[in-house]
Every structure is written in structure tokens, then in C-alpha cells.
Amino acid sequence: MSASDEAPTPITFRELEEKLADPTIPDVELRRYFIGDRRRSRPFAPVLQIDRDKVVLEPIDEFRVQGAFAMNWANGVSRLRRQLRFDRRRAFGEKLPLVTAEGDSWFEFPIMLSDVVDQVDDRYLVWSVAAAGDTVQNMLATEREYLEAIRRNAVPKIFMFSGAGNDIVGSDPDGRSVIEKVVRRFEPGRPASWYVSTDAFNERLAAVERNYRQLFETVGREFGDRISVVCHGYDRAIPALAQDDPRDPLWANRDEWLAGPLGRLGIADAVLQREIVARMIDRLNEMQKHLCGGNNDGGVFRHAYHADIRGALPNVDDWADELHPTDAGFAKVAARFAPILSALV
């Protein structure tokens, strides 16, 4: 049994705050004090709550807890801990290559999973402004945050970017699944490609492409050839339909984000569900590769690179939920980034 699996002695809320404020304590050691909030979690935006069996709350703590654990609490704490860790490592003279990161929950999954940035943290010093739940539009609505992040520590050679998952298979601000808005209802005999050959999906993908073009153009204009952008298009996620599916995430119902929405469209076959999601992911990757000329012949932007994650996570046990890999799965994803990052530094 590992240390993180042992039943901990309950601690006070103040002691938990002290642990969270200590960047030397790894996130995996803090997982024991939290549970997921399935009611408020959204695709690419898990919400956590204190496990009250493991953290003792005094009456005076209740008001603070209710305020602290609003929707973006986990994002804010995780980002701050990561940035404190970065500054501490710089202060102690670590000479690893600098990388700046912006992105969604594949780059910032609060506490409960070791995401891509966590996986490369032993080889690079990563200053991250990523936040779970972000759409590409939100991340790029203002250029200030990611440009300031790039400039903060002197311009690094690499800017890692993760975005678009929430835009095409996530949920909209109205709470409705994007899948239910862009995928056709079931008709017998139709191939997977037919279900995503809709004006609604094409418009979503075109909007994502415009945002990626804006990102690449802005970085190129501001920094020239001093920095390269490395992005990715996720792997072909697996809807949780089979009864023996082992996934049981704390932060979401097993079939909440893919199998559930597809089922409400009348698409009940597990193979067809998986093929539809794969086609959506393939089209996103194809668009990105067309833009990323750094490692794709004919790509539009020479300073943009595409990490092709497809095929890295072929099995259900590679996935913690319908949209996020396990810790080991994220390690496989990071391995796809590794040769690109290594060549650039």
C-alpha cells in the first residue's frame, strides 16, 4: 500500500490550507483530502470538494469553505501551487529549459490527476497559466494573459498550448452538451462520418481554426522565430457504455460526457459511438496539422508544431473518465510531446 492509499488521520481546515500553500508537497499527497462534486463538474472542468471525513471543519470554517470552493477554486489553487513551485525551483538555481504553457484540463487537472504539465515537470521548468474548463475562445479572447506569461521569465523557446476539447465535445455555457448540438440523430445504416458531417460541427471546427490561426499569428508577430508553439488534438476518447467499464471517476458520472449525450441522440451502439468520437477527434487533428508547418509538410505556420496523441491511449484503462487519461495515460501523452520538445530546446 502506498502512502497516498493509507487512511490519513483527519486534519483541520487550517492544516489543509497550510499543506496547499506548501509547493514542496506533491499533489498526489493531497488527493486523500478531496472528493469530486459530480453535480457541478463539467466536461474538462472537474469540481472538487473537501472530504469531510478527512478534514475537520469548525463552525467558523463553514463560511470560508463555501466561498473558497466555488467553481474555479481548484483551478486557482492548482495554478498557484504550480507557479510557487516554479519560482522556488528558479530560486534554487535549477537550469532546466524554460517552457510556458496555456491550456485546458489536459494541462491543468486540479490535484486528482497528473496531467501533461506534471509529466514533463522533471525535464523542464514550466510556467503555466492553464485552467481546467477553458475553451479556445476564452483563452484567446484577450492576448494579455498568455503573452504576459511568455514574457514573464524571459522569452522561452517553447510555448505549449492545449485547447479545443471543450469546444467540440464539451459543454456550452448553457450547460448543454456540444455533442447534442452538432451530431445527427441516429439513422440505421449510416457511417460514423455522416453523423459529424453537419453544418453545426463544421462551424465549430472553423471557429476553432480561426482561434488557432490567431494564436499562431500573434505569437509569430510578437516573438518571430524566438519561440515555437506546440499544440495537440487529444486522443480518440472512449465512451463509457459497456457494463464492465471499470471507470468510476469521483468527479463525474461514468457516461456523463460522451455515451450519455450520444445515447440521447438515439445512438446506442458502443462501436458506433466510439467511431463518431474518433472522427470528431480526427478532424480536429487534421485541421491542426494543416496549420502546424514546423513538423508537417505544407503546414501554414513554420513556428507551430503538432503533437499527434492519437493511438497513445487505445484501452479503457488508459482513461480516468471519458475525456481525461489516468496518470499513466498522461505519461503516454507526454511521451508523444517528448521528441518535439527535445528537438526544440
Side-chain angles (χ1 to χ4, degrees):
M1 178 179 290
S2 68
S4 61
D5 293 329
E6 296 172 3
T9 301
I11 63 174
T12 66
F13 181 58
R14 177 60 59 88
E15 289 174 319
L16 175 62
E17 289 184 310
E18 291 173 353
K19 289 178 181 291
L20 290 168
D22 184 350
T24 67
I25 298 176
D27 286 357
V28 68
E29 296 299 324
L30 299 172
R31 294 177 185 177
R32 62 182 67 179
Y33 301 111
F34 296 95
I35 57 175
D37 187 337
R38 292 178 171 176
R39 181 177 58 86
R40 292 196 297 157
S41 292
R42 296 178 290 111
F44 298 97
V47 176
L48 305 183
Q49 289 288 343
I50 289 174
D51 186 339
R52 294 177 183 240
D53 291 333
K54 298 171 184 174
V55 179
V56 178
L57 297 178
E58 300 295 335
I60 195 171
D61 296 325
E62 290 289 346
F63 178 78
R64 296 173 62 208
V65 169
Q66 291 301 319
F69 283 76
M71 182 67 74
N72 290 324
W73 173 87
N75 271 336
V77 169
S78 293
R79 183 195 293 200
L80 178 59
R81 282 175 49 78
R82 185 173 275 170
Q83 293 177 350
L84 289 172
R85 204 154 45 234
F86 175 96
D87 286 336
R88 186 176 186 276
R89 293 169 69 190
R90 289 288 300 277
F92 277 83
E94 289 196 31
K95 300 300 183 182
L96 296 172
L98 291 176
V99 174
T100 298
E102 167 66 293
D104 55 19
S105 54
W106 276 48
F107 279 12
E108 177 60 274
F109 195 105
I111 297 175
M112 305 303 283
L113 292 174
S114 297
D115 54 54
V116 174
V117 172
D118 292 326
Q119 299 290 344
V120 303
D121 199 48
D122 61 335
R123 287 155 286 170
Y124 302 92
L125 281 171
V126 184
W127 177 259
S128 175
V129 293
D134 253 355
T135 63
V136 175
Q137 179 64 42
N138 288 340
M139 285 184 268
L140 304 182
T142 172
E143 299 173 356
R144 182 177 304 167
E145 184 172 46
Y146 75 87
L147 291 179
E148 288 183 353
I150 291 171
R151 295 189 184 105
R152 180 187 184 272
N153 304 292
V155 178
K157 291 185 177 181
I158 299 172
F159 174 51
M160 293 173 60
F161 184 78
S162 176
N166 205 43
D167 300 75
I168 65 170
V169 293
S171 62
D172 279 340
D174 63 6
R176 284 192 61 202
S177 165
V178 173
I179 286 176
E180 292 184 74
K181 296 181 178 183
V182 304
V183 173
R184 289 188 170 112
R185 294 193 63 81
F186 177 72
E187 288 189 13
R190 297 289 191 177
S193 58
W194 177 82
Y195 287 93
V196 299
S197 297
T198 64
D199 290 342
F201 184 69
N202 292 339
E203 289 167 4
R204 294 266 176 167
L205 200 58
V208 170
E209 179 174 354
R210 288 193 296 272
N211 284 311
Y212 266 91
R213 285 180 177 271
Q214 174 192 333
L215 169 66
F216 297 150
E217 289 169 356
T218 301
V219 171
R221 181 177 64 249
E222 294 289 327
F223 305 108
D225 60 2
R226 289 184 293 163
I227 187 169
S228 297
V229 184
V230 182
C231 67
H232 72 100
Y234 312 92
D235 199 1
R236 302 177 181 101
I238 304 173
L241 190 62
Q243 292 300 313
D244 59 351
D245 191 306
R247 291 172 290 183
D248 186 25
L250 294 173
W251 50 87
N253 294 324
R254 190 180 63 174
D255 64 348
E256 186 169 353
W257 297 329
L258 297 179
L262 289 166
R264 289 191 289 273
L265 293 172
I267 304 167
D269 180 73
V271 174
L272 181 57
Q273 284 195 356
R274 188 165 178 173
E275 289 175 348
I276 290 170
V277 173
R279 185 58 190 142
M280 297 173 82
I281 294 299
D282 283 345
R283 288 190 59 189
L284 172 62
N285 277 273
E286 290 160 8
M287 178 273 288
Q288 291 173 322
K289 293 180 75 171
H290 171 69
L291 297 180
C292 294
N295 59 343
N296 292 283
D297 291 340
V300 177
F301 298 95
R302 290 186 299 174
H303 62 290
Y305 292 76
H306 175 257
D308 198 335
I309 311 302
R310 290 174 294 177
L313 309 166
N315 303 313
V316 169
D317 58 10
D318 291 318
W319 297 86
D321 60 34
E322 289 186 304
L323 297 174
H324 301 94
T326 61
D327 289 354
F330 269 125
K332 295 178 181 180
V333 172
R336 296 290 181 95
F337 278 88
I340 300 172
L341 300 181
S342 178
L344 290 175
V345 301

